[in-house]
Amino acid sequence: MRTQVGIVGAGPAGLLLGHLLHLNGIDTVIVENRDREYVVDRVRAGVLEQGTVDLLAAIGVGAGLESRGLRHDGIFISFAGRRHRIDMAELTGGKAITVYGQNEVVRDLIDARVATQRPLYFDAQCVEVNALDSSTPIVRFVHGDTAHELQCDFIAGCDGFHGVCRPSIPEGVLSIYERSYPFGWLGILAEAAPSSDELVYTYHDRGFALFSMRSTSITRLYLQVPPDEPIERWPDDAIWEEMLTRMTTSDGWQPNVGRILQKGVTPMRSFVAAPMRHGRLFLAGDAAHIVPPTGAKGLNLAASDVVVLARALKAFYETGSTDWLEQYSAICLRRVWKAQRFSWWMTTLLHRLPDLTEFDRQRQLADLDYLIGSRAAMTSLAEQYVGLPQDF
Ligand SMILES: Cc1cc2nc3c(=O)[nH]c(=O)nc-3n(C[C@H](O)[C@H](O)[C@H](O)COP(=O)(O)OP(=O)(O)OC[C@H]3O[C@@H](n4cnc5c(N)ncnc54)[C@H](O)[C@@H]3O)c2cc1C
């Protein structure tokens, strides 16, 4: 097979890139190693920045988002038993975030892809990328009983943190910047109507907790736990008891309790691989960088990477110029590092470190007190949370 851009991975980055390139008349083949149900059902991100929402609407995949997405103008920061609202829309000239599950975004993008009738292979096995330095890089994979060789002008490595593209780059090319955290998030999806219209980030002496939601009937809640915490240690009753202990505020606010539909523990990591390109392979999204989920940036960064990549590829096919492709990594990394900084800041502000001293605790509380008392500090949080402007 031959295509212009071979895309490895049908997560948000790969599907969105496929759609952006389709709209510019650029031919792509998407190769995904999981089946369609698995890709759609995977529960992950849920907070979309204003720019991501605007992008999805502009490219014609915003119908579900418009009808079922929950626009939030603010968030709550809770500590010492009180919730404090940060009015993001007022502080940013009307920008907001929208809560819409990543699985919904992925479903909408798969539907859009299928409607274009361009190829999308699920369940591809033995996926490999080769000849990255040549003018015809190759994606090899097995689909059903057939081995395929896909010759491309370019390959987009959109295969997430555990994919094959980044490890296919020769040793010594990439610089890796990494930090792991001494905690993880125990996340649950519960059949319970949200008791707050907006997210509540809680700092508590027993550890961080986050109240969020997926719809008007489903809440999504998280607890800080040790990074390798076995989920078996957490029967449903114990999860609810801990959620209520950490989140209940002195005015009586607390999450509604309901049947737990899904639960799991996710470790937290900050990771950047640079440059985000080797030869004709371009990395995008989690394949190149990971942020701890506290700042809700991962999916949004994946979207901004592929916007830059799609523009660079469009410029190449229209004019033959590789200038934008040369700058792809530098343009993306500027935004990635700002999101890394923000996610690290939110994480260290709100989590309890295992070796926390009383000095650290008082400093964290002073940080929080400053945040909710200073318009400048609230504006800084708000403009980063709703998403910094795309800066091309
Ligand atoms: C618990 C949790 C909560 C989160 N909350 C938020 C949030 O609120 N907001 C936010 O913005 N982000 C959040 N994130 C991060 C977000 O989910 C990721 O950043 C996002 O999924 C990145 O998209 P991606 O397309 O780059 O990678 P992925 O979604 O990982 O997609 C990669 C795709 O490649 C496929 N693949 C892997 N290996 C291969 C292979 N060898 N061959 C072919 N295909 C392959 C995978 O199956 C997958 O479909 C959260 C993450 C977690 C875990």
Side-chain angles (χ1 to χ4, degrees):
M1 286 188 289
R2 176 94 187 87
T3 190
Q4 289 174 301
V5 182
I7 300 176
V8 183
L15 290 164
L16 189 53
L17 179 65
H19 199 67
L20 290 167
L21 294 179
H22 162 75
L23 294 176
N24 287 295
I26 298 169
D27 191 36
T28 57
V29 173
I30 304 181
V31 178
E32 161 65 48
N33 70 347
R34 300 292 194 146
D35 63 44
R36 182 171 174 162
E37 289 67 36
Y38 181 91
V39 170
V40 171
D41 289 341
R42 197 165 32 193
V43 177
R44 295 176 90 186
V47 174
L48 304 184
E49 291 177 357
Q50 183 72 56
T52 308
V53 171
D54 295 345
L55 171 70
L56 293 171
I59 62 171
V61 285
L65 184 55
E66 182 147 334
S67 59
R68 296 190 304 283
L70 306 170
R71 180 188 153 101
H72 291 188
D73 286 340
I75 55 168
F76 288 96
I77 302 288
S78 175
F79 62 99
R82 289 186 60 197
R83 283 188 301 159
H84 307 267
R85 183 165 186 269
I86 296 185
D87 190 337
M88 298 186 300
E90 194 265 324
L91 292 161
T92 61
K95 291 185 187 162
I97 51 122
T98 297
V99 170
Y100 189 62
Q102 177 168 330
N103 52 327
E104 301 284 342
V105 174
V106 165
R107 180 179 311 162
D108 296 347
L109 286 167
I110 291 175
D111 289 349
R113 176 74 183 185
V114 170
T116 67
Q117 298 187 331
R118 293 194 188 265
L120 165 53
Y121 290 89
F122 285 106
D123 246 334
Q125 302 306 312
C126 309
V127 180
E128 285 177 19
V129 293
N130 299 105
L132 305 176
D133 274 329
S134 77
S135 56
T136 315
I138 291 168
V139 181
R140 290 201 176 85
F141 62 98
V142 175
H143 192 250
D145 292 333
T146 312
H148 293 272
E149 182 176 291
L150 175 65
Q151 297 186 352
C152 315
D153 296 337
F154 301 97
I155 297 176
C158 302
D159 50 348
F161 187 67
H162 299 289
V164 290
C165 289
R166 193 182 65 250
S168 304
I169 295 176
E171 211 166 305
V173 170
L174 296 178
S175 296
I176 303 293
Y177 307 88
E178 195 167 15
R179 166 185 283 261
S180 53
Y181 296 84
F183 38 76
W185 278 13
L186 188 162
I188 64 165
L189 207 56
E191 212 171 41
S195 59
S196 163
D197 289 340
E198 294 172 341
L199 273 66
V200 185
Y201 282 82
T202 299
Y203 174 92
H204 191 276
D205 284 342
R206 294 177 65 87
F208 170 76
L210 173 60
F211 172 93
S212 71
M213 64 293 289
R214 282 294 180 268
S215 69
T216 50
S217 55
I218 302 288
T219 41
R220 176 95 171 124
L221 307 177
Y222 300 96
L223 284 178
Q224 176 187 346
V225 294
D228 46 6
E229 183 80 334
I231 191 68
E232 300 72 39
R233 214 178 265 170
W234 287 89
D236 293 1
D237 288 350
I239 293 177
W240 279 120
E241 195 183 323
E242 192 63 26
M243 292 283 181
L244 295 176
T245 302
R246 293 191 198 180
M247 289 191 206
T248 303
T249 46
S250 48
D251 60 1
W253 178 82
Q254 56 179 211
N256 288 328
V257 173
R259 189 162 66 95
I260 294 182
L261 304 170
Q262 215 184 74
K263 57 183 174 184
V265 175
T266 317
M268 312 259 280
R269 179 186 282 127
S270 301
F271 176 93
V272 178
M276 291 168 57
R277 171 199 183 168
H278 174 64
R280 290 200 164 216
L281 169 68
F282 291 82
L283 301 176
D286 278 15
H289 42 73
I290 296 278
V291 283
T294 328
K297 290 285 165 248
L299 169 57
N300 296 294
L301 279 182
S304 48
D305 285 352
V306 298
V307 168
V308 179
L309 186 52
R311 288 190 186 185
L313 290 165
K314 177 174 184 274
F316 173 81
Y317 284 111
E318 281 178 1
T319 67
S321 163
T322 57
D323 289 357
W324 278 76
L325 290 169
E326 306 295 346
Q327 288 184 57
Y328 166 74
S329 177
I331 294 171
C332 291
L333 285 171
R334 252 184 106 187
R335 189 180 180 82
V336 166
W337 275 113
K338 285 181 193 145
Q340 288 288 358
R341 193 207 68 79
F342 178 66
S343 304
W344 168 87
W345 174 74
M346 285 278 280
T347 303
T348 49
L349 176 71
L350 291 161
H351 287 73
R352 190 186 163 87
L353 291 165
D355 55 356
L356 189 87
T357 62
E358 188 52 26
F359 178 88
D360 296 328
R361 184 173 163 273
Q362 292 298 339
R363 185 188 45 74
Q364 277 180 318
L365 288 168
D367 253 345
L368 289 160
D369 199 21
Y370 171 63
L371 172 64
I372 54 112
S374 157
R375 187 174 172 86
M378 284 191 283
T379 306
S380 172
L381 183 147
E383 69 179 6
Q384 295 181 82
Y385 199 78
V386 300
L388 293 172
Q390 291 275 8
D391 177 15
F392 303 128

